[in-house]
């Protein structure tokens, strides 16, 4: 049985990625922190695709929680491997730098960067032993160009991008690819409160993207056909930033 872990898999892009990977034959490990109802809805959608999955509740920014959850799963599945890891968990806490509380800076960076570290370090040794793996990190256009009001988010996603490039070089000989996906404006609850009509006019494609479009890209990077793509950052932003 093939396994894939998607952090922040209860809603939005994470949910769409779970559904896409289930169509590719993966048994889904759906990580969430607090919204069990939405996580169960994702699991139901996975099952509608003829696959199955399970929920793993832990805060990726908490090293102890992450280690305990993943070590328990690995001990219960000694002959199984998580082939695909999608580091998708993330939050926005936007503000101009002059008014940004320190806790908002810390929380955004901790979930993105510590989350990447905690989950990847826990699963990477098995990928190295098996000489196969796909690690896909959810970055953002904000991490490529920087966006005003998002110094914390831009720093987190920019750090994730360079970590992606560094790790890719460490593990390429083990047939493990590490790539990042950098979405622009996508129709999820992460963009609630934004003026979609006004922002769409700044995008050459004249619209926001959908979670399913991002999931299709993730699915390709997770596939065997993407074995020669590593250390890359692929934008999916309707031409907003090239």
């Amino acid at each position: 049985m093939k396994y894939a872990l998607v952090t922040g898999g209860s809603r939005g892009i994470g949910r769409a990625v779970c559904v896409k990977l289930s169509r590719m034959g993966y048994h889904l490990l759906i990580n969430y922190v607090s919204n069990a109802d939405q996580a169960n809805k994702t699991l139901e959608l996975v099952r509608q695709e003829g696959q199955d999955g399970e929920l793993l509740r832990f805060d990726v920014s908490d090293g102890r929680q992450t280690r305990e959850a993943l070590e328990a799963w690995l001990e219960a599945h000694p002959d199984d491997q998580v082939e695909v890891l999608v580091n998708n968990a993330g939050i926005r806490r936007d503000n101009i730098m002059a008014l940004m509380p320190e806790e908002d800076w810390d929380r955004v960076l901790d979930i993105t960067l510590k989350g990447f570290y905690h989950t990847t370090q826990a699963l990477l040794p098995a990928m190295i032993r098996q000489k196969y793996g796909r690690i896909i990190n959810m970055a953002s256009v904000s991490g490529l160009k920087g966006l005003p009001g998002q110094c914390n988010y831009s720093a987190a996603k920019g750090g994730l991008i360079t970590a992606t490039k560094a790790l890719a070089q460490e593990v390429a000989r083990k047939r493990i690819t590490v790539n990042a996906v950098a979405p622009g404006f996508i129709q999820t609850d992460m963009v609630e409160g934004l003026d979609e009509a006004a922002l769409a006019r700044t995008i050459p494609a004249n619209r926001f993207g959908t979670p399913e479009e991002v999931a299709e890209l993730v699915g390709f990077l997770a596939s065997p056909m993407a074995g020669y793509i590593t250390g890359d950052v692929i934008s999916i932003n309707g031409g907003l930033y090239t």
Side-chain angles (χ1 to χ4, degrees):
M1 187 177 294
K2 302 190 298 181
Y3 290 87
L5 169 63
V6 179
T7 68
S10 63
R11 292 179 294 178
I13 290 173
R15 172 178 288 169
V17 169
C18 287
V19 172
K20 173 60 181 179
L21 293 177
S22 70
R23 290 173 182 159
M24 295 170 62
Y26 283 96
H27 183 103
L28 267 296
L29 307 180
I30 303 164
N31 162 254
Y32 75 104
V33 177
S34 58
N35 198 328
D37 288 343
Q38 290 298 320
N40 274 296
K41 185 173 180 180
T42 299
L43 181 57
E44 179 183 342
L45 291 171
V46 165
R47 287 172 173 164
Q48 288 176 11
E49 298 297 329
Q51 289 297 323
D52 204 353
E54 54 195 284
L55 304 183
L56 292 182
R57 181 177 182 177
F58 59 89
D59 181 347
V60 296
S61 70
D62 186 310
R64 180 187 58 80
Q65 282 188 35
T66 305
R67 282 193 304 273
E68 289 179 355
L70 295 181
E71 285 175 2
W73 188 90
L74 291 168
E75 288 175 6
H77 299 78
D79 298 321
D80 296 320
Q81 178 199 358
V82 178
E83 287 188 358
V84 176
L85 167 61
V86 182
N87 287 303
N88 170 73
I91 63 169
R92 282 177 44 225
R93 288 189 178 173
D94 296 352
N95 209 333
I96 60 172
M97 187 65 164
L99 300 177
M100 184 177 292
E102 185 174 357
E103 57 267 28
D104 286 358
W105 176 273
D106 289 343
R107 188 63 178 149
V108 169
L109 267 72
D110 283 353
I111 291 176
T112 295
L113 294 180
K114 282 189 176 180
F116 161 77
Y117 169 78
H118 292 147
T119 56
T120 304
Q121 194 184 54
L123 299 177
L124 191 57
M127 291 183 181
I128 291 172
R129 287 194 300 271
Q130 295 293 326
K131 295 185 179 180
Y132 186 84
R134 296 285 186 265
I135 299 171
I136 301 156
N137 300 318
M138 197 59 62
S140 168
V141 64
S142 185
L144 290 170
K145 71 183 295 287
L147 291 176
Q150 288 193 335
C151 280
N152 51 357
Y153 194 71
S154 294
K157 297 301 188 180
L160 185 63
I161 286 169
T162 50
T164 296
K165 293 175 178 291
L167 180 59
Q169 296 173 70
E170 293 181 11
V171 298
R173 291 181 182 274
K174 300 296 184 179
R175 297 178 58 235
I176 300 167
T177 65
V178 190
N179 291 291
V181 173
F185 292 109
I186 306 298
Q187 291 173 334
T188 70
D189 55 7
M190 285 281 282
V191 297
E192 283 182 1
L194 301 181
D195 187 338
E196 182 173 347
L199 287 169
R201 289 194 291 271
T202 70
I203 303 169
N206 199 37
R207 66 176 178 88
F208 281 19
T210 68
E212 290 73 23
E213 288 173 313
V214 179
E216 287 294 324
L217 175 54
V218 173
F220 173 69
L221 292 174
S223 74
M225 295 301 294
Y228 204 54
I229 301 172
T230 195
D232 208 351
V233 184
I234 302 177
S235 295
I236 178 166
N237 59 37
L240 177 65
Y241 181 74
T242 61

